[in-house]
Amino acid sequence: MNEALPDVPEVRVVGLPQLTSGFDLVERLDLPMHLKVHGPLEPLGGEQLAKLAENINLKGRGGAGFPFHKKLRSVAEAAIKRGVRPVVVVNGSEDEPACRKDTVLINRAPHLILDGALLVAEALGARTLVVGVTRESTQRSMEAALAERGLSNGRRSALRARVQRNPVRMVTGAAASLIRSIDGGPAIPPGRKVSASQNGVGGAPTLLSNAETFAQLAIAARIGPERYGNTGLYDEPGTVMLTVSGAVARPMVIEAPTGVPLRYILQLAGAPPVPQGVLTGGYHGKWIDAATVNEAVVSRNSLDAVGGALGAGAILPISQETCPLGESLMVAKWLAEESAGQCGPCYLGLPAAARGLEDILNGGGPAALEALKQVAKNVKRRGACSHPDGSAMFLESTIKAFTDDLAAHVLGNGCGRPVEGVLPLFEGGMTPSLPGGASAEENGPSRQKIYVDWTLCRGHGLCADILPEVFELGADGFPTVAQAQVPRYAEAKALRAVRRCPALALRLEEAAPRDNGASRNLPVLSQGRGRRALGR
């Protein structure tokens, strides 16, 4: 029940491969093989790159679907206005149990992602590139890819590039969480809405997008908008990466052109011929019924039109033999456990919503149904991040999609079908909360804080090399934080940084109880003026 998907499941392709080109030749495309398969890539000017993204209607593939060209221009304009160099961040933090498409790309085609990220960095005049990951396999693959290109986080590098490893948590993948962690804080939302394009890493304008988005940009830059537009739908050209799991014979990641019938995608993975329902967009997505499946094609607009969602590209059918409300309850409990615990609508509302759905299954009657509807309504648009909104959308979709089963539980003695646990969760239904699947002791709250003594610091930079989880150097060569909590899994590295500091400017102290140190982890704004930006 609820078996976890492997990091790299089976990969299939419908039609001609683009992002998955070369997958039939090797397990991982290193730099020489990547160049043999895809060929060299010439840099593009900033406005050229923005027009390319606009011509192919490229939208973020992480779930939100924001137009990439608007984000690119916004970052460039902010960088020019403020006279600072922007930062480029690749979000490869794929922490939903039902999603693996970005993990597959990072593990098997990391250089395609880097191609897109480096195109953007060159166009914007960025000097910092960070790739956010949460899995050991993705960290290894991306660090190897950076090394193959001769990229490092050294102070003298023309482009400082590194991998940021964060805990495996649902909220870690939020843009604000990733940016906060890059600045040395915890990988949870900051509790306020801030535009990364205006005020991101170190306070600088930051272009942050999903790993697949950068890979799609690299493909389009090589073949041009016309050839790119020959694949897929006119208004949503190209391919999409989908993770198909749930009640299927073979869980897999599929690259398919937009416009392919959804039922064909399900057939490839061995789904039931007539599924009871299909969850589209993952655990922040929406259910559609079997009749609707026959109408839908793979595209953002098509799925929206039939009441579904493309979201993060997860597609999960369930069979007629399982209780859909029971399956959804297991996901609802997991979503409640994934709360960052820092705002009431999420910390209190999501467990209450899960209890409400459980009350319905246990014969709570119409009162339980009305209570669930009210809780789901109350948590929306009131949280510190999008997690409560997405979770509420999932619950409301469950109520809407399975009206017959809902009536059987609310008005009768239940539907009589078992809960099979076909929707994947992490092992045991829980999520490892720190990198590497650390033990419970390692996963506990931080016990240590590290401090910089500015009267001694001489900007040698060893702290950032040894402890990148905490330290990043500013444009002046000095650390961008004065004090920060040390993650449990990095305590040994923190001690090594203290011992190796040539100026003896670092010290470790036990963290005060109930003090997460986030309020005092103040990044220093990077200085300097970008030489290249859009429109120049």
Side-chain angles (χ1 to χ4, degrees), residues 139-382:
Q139 180 183 9
R140 285 198 311 265
S141 180
M142 191 53 73
E143 285 181 342
L146 292 177
E148 288 164 5
R149 288 178 180 254
L151 295 172
S152 73
N153 197 34
R155 287 184 297 162
R156 294 180 176 83
S157 301
L159 175 70
R160 298 188 61 179
R162 69 179 180 90
V163 175
Q164 172 74 24
R165 175 87 176 273
N166 284 332
V168 180
R169 293 291 308 277
M170 185 76 165
V171 295
T172 301
S177 301
L178 179 53
I179 289 172
R180 192 177 183 186
S181 71
I182 293 170
D183 279 339
I188 57 177
R192 63 188 185 281
K193 298 188 185 300
V194 179
S195 170
S197 298
Q198 305 298 315
N199 188 8
V201 175
T206 299
L207 192 145
L208 183 149
S209 200
N210 163 265
E212 184 193 340
T213 313
F214 285 106
Q216 293 283 1
L217 186 66
I219 292 292
R222 278 187 168 89
I223 67 177
E226 290 187 7
R227 278 186 59 194
Y228 189 92
N230 289 336
T231 299
L233 298 171
Y234 174 78
D235 58 341
E236 291 183 53
T239 64
V240 293
M241 296 287 285
L242 304 169
T243 310
V244 187
S245 61
V248 297
R250 301 178 305 280
M252 60 179 61
V253 168
I254 301 175
E255 181 184 15
T258 55
V260 170
L262 180 59
R263 65 179 181 275
Y264 180 69
I265 296 297
L266 295 172
Q267 289 171 4
L268 279 180
V274 184
Q276 182 176 191
V278 177
L279 181 59
T280 59
Y283 296 158
H284 279 178
K286 298 179 181 180
W287 290 98
I288 59 177
D289 59 27
T292 305
V293 168
N294 292 326
E295 302 173 17
V297 301
V298 174
S299 81
R300 189 177 303 277
N301 291 339
S302 172
L303 288 171
D304 286 346
V306 298
L310 179 61
I315 306 294
L316 302 104
I318 59 172
S319 70
Q320 300 283 352
E321 287 72 41
T322 187
C323 173
L325 301 183
E327 299 290 345
S328 296
L329 175 61
M330 300 184 76
V331 175
K333 288 181 176 180
W334 179 80
L335 289 169
E337 290 164 353
E338 284 299 287
S339 169
Q342 59 180 358
C343 67
C346 191
Y347 180 63
L348 301 175
L350 295 188
R355 289 194 299 271
L357 184 55
E358 190 167 27
D359 287 345
I360 291 173
L361 285 164
N362 291 333
L369 175 58
E370 290 305 314
L372 172 59
K373 290 180 178 179
Q374 189 61 45
V375 171
K377 179 181 178 181
N378 289 343
V379 302
K380 289 191 295 186
R381 294 180 293 278
R382 296 178 57 215

Side-chain angles (χ1 to χ4, degrees), residues 7-25:
D7 280 10
V8 183
E10 179 184 354
V11 179
R12 297 284 296 275
V13 61
V14 178
L16 296 176
Q18 291 189 358
L19 302 181
T20 59
S21 292
F23 281 23
D24 57 333
L25 303 174

Side-chain angles (χ1 to χ4, degrees), residues 68-81:
F68 189 82
H69 70 94
K70 291 184 178 180
K71 186 180 296 186
L72 187 60
R73 289 191 170 105
S74 177
V75 171
E77 289 168 3
I80 293 170
K81 183 177 180 179

